Amino acid sequence: MPLPHPDPSPGTESGVRRLARQHPAALTWLFLCSTGGALAALALPAALGHTVDRLVSGGPVPWPGLLLCAALVLAETGFDAAAAVTGTTTSARLTASLRTRTAARVLAAEPRRALALPTGDLTARLTARTADAASAPVTAAGAVAGVLLPLGALVGLLLIDVWTAAALLLGAPLLVLLLRTFTRGTADAGADYQRAQSLIAHRLTEALDGADTIRAARTGAREHRRVLEPLSALADHGRRTWTVYGRAVGRSGLLLPLLMLLVLAVAGLRLGAGAIGVGELVAASRYASLAVGIGSLTGALGSLARSRAAARSLDPLLTLAPLPHRGLGPVPDAPGHLELRDVGVEQDGHPLLTGVHLTVPGGTSLAVVGRSGSGKSQLAAVAGRLLDPDTGSVLLDGVPLDGMEPARLRREVAYAFARPALLGTTVEDTIAHGPWTAEPDAVREAARAARADGFLALLPYGYATPLADAPLSGGERQRLGLARALAHPGRLLILDDALSSLDTVTEHHVRRALDARAGRCTRIIVAHRLSSAARADRVAWLEDGRLRATGRHDELWEDPDYRAVFSTDSGGPEGGGTDNGRTGDTTADGGSGTDATVGGRDTATSGTAPSLAAAEPR
């Protein structure tokens, strides 16, 4: 099921308030249970004092008073239990809702903005931070008891005896100062703790992504130290949190008994003076205990402080603007004519593409070649709106991509990557995954076209094999990514080095299957192999982010600089016709960190039935 479109109004605080409005009945019930439990706890001392007075007076046993006390005890227990169950359930629902909307924000934004955060940090915010932030409405609704109990207890003391209440008020400023210090210290320590967690998550994700490289370089011990290096800071922030809590407990452990002793001493003196009775003394002691018992309030304040810190960390995600569009749709039954007009892309002030003018006639194929870092993957990302250009415009059949509604655009543009992300539970799920769920027959036909059916038949349960139980090589993963694109036909297919890990024989068969779809969609192939450029209808040659030349491969081959592109990038004049050992660590640009910034991630996979125009090698 697709994620819902995020609410366009930004702001983390408003997002948390919107969360509260999603479950008003549950939060209202939680508020009523917390209030009911607090009121029962406040009524119990008065009922108990009245009953004690009746017993001391020597009259008959006050059964109604005893029954009332028992009923209040049961009511307090029942309300507290109901509040605990409701709070836990509602917190889980709010967490799921906040995670869904935050993830929807990230997925609906331009990938360059959405992926500005490191992957590990982004994962931490979408998991732990959302749980902390979503607990704020539940904590606030349940904190009523923490506020109502001391205030109600003070009112009860005032009704019993003004002087006893005044004794309690003497320590009120110290209690307020204690709570304020605790809240500030907890918030600061919690924010620092969350930042250290995010750094560890980021480094761990980096290490997992580069596990093959780390293993080959035998740098596991060094990576282990690098990943765990922030652990000492994490421990320091954790100890600081407990230090703040311990100081608050220690100070309250000294202050509260002294304050309780002062209240009871004044109440005892008032009893000796005949101003209050024995039952009122019992009630006063109970009210004093409720007034100085700030444990629940400190817990609520600490939780709210953590929620506030987590909400601030979610703010950059919740304020991500969705891709702008004007609600346009693709031209019906058009061939996929693609135009790039004066396209420019920058990153951190460095130009990646500059002044690219390019036209790809509908139904033809274009190979994009160039040395590593020349901007090939950026051009592929711009062509299908995985990336919006900083200057210029891109049109598909005359319709600007930035004006087309994203969901409709995704149905027309398919991507296949060098390292595709395999989503879903089973192998069939990952091929069927896309802007719509492909039918089983379409999945199997696409797998045959991508030459994936052979190794899938060897898996324990065939297409139903769980991905976790399917050890896949780099070439097999690429074939599943190709099959996923083939299972969702449209008008534009973009292959970002998506054949790099295939052996020569498999690549030949895959190309024949793609050629059989010639004329039905436009193909853009980020090419590193000579054979890919030779088979394309035209070649776009990029150099330092600029379009140096376009033309037929045999025409460009006359230029020695063009020939050098393949000998330099691929290690030989034939452009690396075999796997070359690149199975698990293939980037979108043959290892170029710059050119794989966008295209190396399988950030969007919507399907078109691709076809490579069959221009035979010359």
Side-chain angles (χ1 to χ4, degrees), residues 109-195:
E110 183 190 347
R112 181 168 48 168
R113 271 71 177 179
L115 300 177
L117 289 174
T119 304
D121 187 10
L122 180 62
T123 302
R125 298 190 192 205
L126 289 173
T127 53
R129 303 297 178 273
T130 51
D132 289 338
S135 67
V138 172
T139 303
V144 173
V147 176
L148 190 58
L149 283 177
L151 293 179
L154 178 59
V155 173
L157 283 176
L158 285 171
L159 294 176
I160 293 172
D161 184 67
V162 174
W163 291 104
T164 305
L168 178 64
L169 288 174
L170 286 176
L174 294 177
L175 285 175
V176 172
L177 180 61
L178 178 64
L179 291 175
R180 184 180 180 185
T181 302
F182 171 77
T183 303
R184 284 185 174 179
T186 301
D188 293 341
D192 292 339
Y193 189 88
Q194 290 173 357
R195 281 191 288 270

Side-chain angles (χ1 to χ4, degrees), residues 115-125 129 194-210 223 226-228 230 601:
L115 300 177
L117 289 174
T119 304
D121 187 10
L122 180 62
T123 302
R125 298 190 192 205
R129 303 297 178 273
Q194 290 173 357
R195 281 191 288 270
Q197 272 185 324
S198 295
L199 182 57
I200 292 176
H202 166 53
R203 293 185 177 182
L204 178 60
T205 303
E206 283 185 332
L208 293 175
D209 286 343
E223 281 300 306
R226 187 182 74 90
V227 171
L228 296 184
R601 298 174 182 265

